[in-house]
């Protein structure tokens, strides 16, 4: 084989190789272009899915917020309706009582009227005498000897004492000095016992002791003293007693026991006086504390009680 023929064969092989490479590269570019297009399509799909997911999450968050808001609004609305129903029914049910010597009327009032009436007097200054933070305030006639013994002086000059007692078997009596009530010339002590409280009056002239209910309200201006009980665990009232102050002595005027369970509600409702203020000789304002006997939900409203002698 001569050199020219070999040369031509080599040239032909190189040409064919070049053609093959061109065809291969063209096909590769086409494949790459196709793959790139597919990748772009997938990226677009992923982007759209992400946006759709964010939209769904946003919708779910808004839906949860709306549901929560509706539940709260429904609960508040139901509570307000029940509260209004109970308080209105309560006051209507005891709107008027015919007692032996008095006609007693009670009506519901708003907080503004309650605050306005109570701002004019300080008749409830003994309201918190059973609270642990109540501080004794002694004078020259009174002295705390120790945690168990309190000594006070009578008008005769003789000293007497009131002692705490440990009776045993979870029974005890403990007394804390609450103050001196000048209009009845008496020392006032807050008495604490096992699961019970009361008040003790000790006459400075005679030394005689008189038990009163849990709370004491005194009004020098109206020569009136009120004592009442209520249990803020079960909201059962121990009633309210109103005394006239005559010649520095207590003269019982009226004793009233509100209904412990009222039949006008299917579930029943216990209630009691609280935060009593004497506004005149024949009227008081108070917070009516009450509790649904079945659900134990507690509520309150403000009320005005008037007395009229027959």
């Amino acid at each position: 084989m001569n050199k020219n023929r070999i040369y031509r064969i080599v040239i032909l092989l190189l040409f064919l190789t070049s053609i093959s490479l061109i065809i291969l590269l063209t096909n590769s570019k086409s494949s790459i272009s196709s793959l790139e297009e597919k990748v772009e399509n997938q990226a677009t799909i992923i982007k759209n899915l992400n946006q759709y997911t964010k939209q769904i999450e946003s919708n779910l968050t808004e839906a949860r917020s709306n549901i929560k808001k509706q539940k709260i609004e429904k609960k508040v609305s139901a509570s307000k309706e029940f509260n209004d129903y109970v308080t209105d029914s309560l006051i209507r049910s005891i709107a008027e009582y015919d007692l032996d010597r008095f006609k007693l009327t009670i009506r519901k009032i708003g907080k503004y009227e309650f605050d306005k009436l109570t701002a004019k007097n300080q008749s409830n200054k003994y309201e918190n005498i059973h609270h642990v933070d109540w501080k004794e305030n002694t004078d020259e006639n009174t002295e705390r000897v120790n945690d168990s013994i309190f000594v006070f002086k009578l008008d005769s000059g003789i000293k007497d004492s009131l002692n705490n007692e440990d009776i045993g078997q979870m029974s005890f009596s403990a007394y804390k000095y609450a103050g001196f009530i000048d209009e009845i010339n008496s020392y006032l002590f807050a008495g604490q016992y096992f699961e019970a409280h009361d008040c003790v009056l000790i006459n400075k002239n005679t030394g005689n002791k008189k038990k009163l209910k849990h709370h004491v309200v005194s009004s020098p201006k109206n020569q009136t003293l009120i004592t009442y009980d209520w249990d803020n665990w079960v909201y059962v009232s121990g009633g309210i007693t109103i005394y006239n102050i005559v010649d520095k002595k207590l003269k019982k005027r009226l004793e009233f026991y509100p209904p412990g369970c009222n039949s006008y509600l299917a579930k029943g409702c216990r209630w009691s006086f609280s935060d009593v203020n004497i506004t005149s000789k024949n009227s008081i304002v108070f917070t009516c504390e009450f509790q649904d006997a079945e659900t134990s939900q507690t509520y309150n409203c403000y009320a005005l009680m008037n007395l009229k002698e027959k």
Side-chain angles (χ1 to χ4, degrees), residues 177 179-188 201-204 248:
Y177 183 56
F180 187 77
I181 304 180
D182 185 66
E183 55 267 33
I184 52 175
N185 193 37
S186 297
Y187 299 104
L188 176 66
L201 277 178
I202 301 179
N203 187 280
K204 189 170 180 286
K248 289 189 175 291

Side-chain angles (χ1 to χ4, degrees), residues 280-305:
S280 75
K281 190 174 183 63
N282 293 309
S283 69
I284 66 170
V285 291
F286 63 96
T287 301
C288 185
E289 302 276 355
F290 54 98
Q291 181 185 63
D292 185 288
E294 184 173 307
T295 66
S296 296
Q297 285 185 288
T298 57
Y299 306 89
N300 67 74
C301 67
Y302 303 103
L304 170 67
M305 186 177 85

Side-chain angles (χ1 to χ4, degrees), residues 236-252:
V236 175
S237 175
I240 186 168
T241 305
I242 301 176
Y243 295 93
N244 286 335
I245 299 174
V246 181
D247 297 328
K248 289 189 175 291
K249 297 178 181 179
L250 295 180
K251 183 178 180 181
K252 186 184 291 186

